[in-house]
Amino acid sequence: MKEITKMYRTRPSFFTTVSSCFIFASAFLCFFLLLPAAGHTAITTTTITLMWDPPNESNEITGYKIYSGTSPGKYGTTPIKIISSGTAYSCAVTVSRDNSMHYYAATAYNEAGLESDFSNEVSYQAPPALYKVTTVLRGCGTGSMIRDVDASVFNKYSTITPSYPSGKYFTAGSGISFQMNPASYCIVTGVKVNGNLTLQSSNTFLLPGVRGDSYVEFLFSFQ
């Protein structure tokens, strides 16, 4: 107990030997991107793994706390993760895909609840979010003949380019240009994005700055 008294400051919550106690290095910070299984939508988070070397005083440590902030050296007062084991030297952390830099530092704590100063800092550049865009055609010539036509005279199907019937992921803010190719007996009348109709006379359409999952309907009718 005498040694512990020397090791910790008299003011609660801090060790005296923190800076030398923890050894974090960029080489030990690993990033793993977790994509959703089929059927999931927006990808707004990712997971990274933080790893560190055992401190010299690891036999007196009962756990670790991970802190995070968006400015160097500035962290919240509440840890984002508490590891209740003095022999655990890594942890997974969920990060928002917000296209910004995130900074991390750790502290150690003992049985008495005394907490060390912050370790050295590591940083991670989070990628932007990914959003799912699904396209569908509505109206004439989009997969079934709703009027009897001579296939030798008329093109059977209308198309759009590019087409994402089962969905495709795009980086937040991306713009997507579509080319609509109506069958020869059809015209383009409009485009619906998440139910919001835009009347359309041109055969090209720009979906600007994708900011969320989008369901895009291309509307065709008979001339």
Side-chain angles (χ1 to χ4, degrees):
M1 195 67 188
K2 188 175 181 180
E3 291 182 355
I4 295 178
T5 302
K6 290 181 178 179
M7 181 178 178
Y8 302 113
R9 295 179 181 174
T10 54
R11 187 173 66 182
S13 302
F14 292 96
F15 290 115
T16 57
T17 56
V18 171
S19 298
S20 60
C21 178
F22 292 90
I23 304 174
F24 284 75
S26 298
F28 294 110
L29 187 61
C30 305
F31 312 113
F32 300 95
L33 174 64
L34 301 182
L35 294 175
H40 287 221
T41 52
I43 306 173
T44 56
T45 62
T46 189
T47 300
I48 63 172
T49 299
L50 303 177
M51 301 178 66
W52 57 92
D53 291 334
N56 294 331
E57 300 85 355
S58 58
N59 62 320
E60 306 208 21
I61 292 173
T62 57
Y64 301 91
K65 296 181 181 181
I66 307 298
Y67 293 83
S68 177
T70 54
S71 298
K74 295 181 180 180
Y75 317 110
T77 56
T78 303
I80 62 169
K81 196 101 173 183
I82 298 177
I83 300 94
S84 301
S85 171
T87 57
Y89 307 122
S90 68
C91 71
V93 174
T94 300
V95 186
S96 296
R97 295 182 63 119
D98 56 7
N99 200 30
S100 64
M101 191 71 76
H102 295 252
Y103 299 87
Y104 299 91
T107 63
Y109 64 89
N110 68 354
E111 281 188 5
L114 300 177
E115 188 175 352
S116 73
D117 291 328
F118 289 116
S119 69
N120 58 295
E121 181 179 84
V122 290
S123 61
Y124 171 66
Q125 173 65 50
L130 296 175
Y131 295 113
K132 189 176 184 179
V133 175
T134 301
T135 57
V136 63
L137 279 67
R138 307 286 190 199
C140 72
T142 60
S144 63
M145 302 304 291
I146 59 174
R147 129 173 149 171
D148 189 18
V149 297
D150 184 344
S152 66
V153 177
F154 298 108
N155 295 323
K156 188 175 181 181
Y157 299 121
S158 300
T159 62
I160 54 171
T161 306
S163 178
Y164 310 116
S166 59
K168 182 178 178 180
Y169 286 95
F170 289 87
T171 300
S174 298
I176 311 169
S177 180
F178 294 93
Q179 177 66 43
M180 292 167 279
N181 309 299
S184 58
Y185 52 89
C186 298
I187 58 172
V188 176
T189 57
V191 178
K192 281 185 179 180
V193 180
N194 298 327
N196 298 312
L197 174 64
T198 300
L199 296 178
Q200 187 80 17
S201 58
S202 169
N203 285 1
T204 60
F205 176 75
L206 176 65
L207 180 64
V210 177
R211 296 297 178 188
D213 291 336
S214 301
Y215 187 74
V216 188
E217 301 171 80
F218 296 88
L219 311 179
F220 297 83
S221 66
F222 289 113
Q223 296 191 56

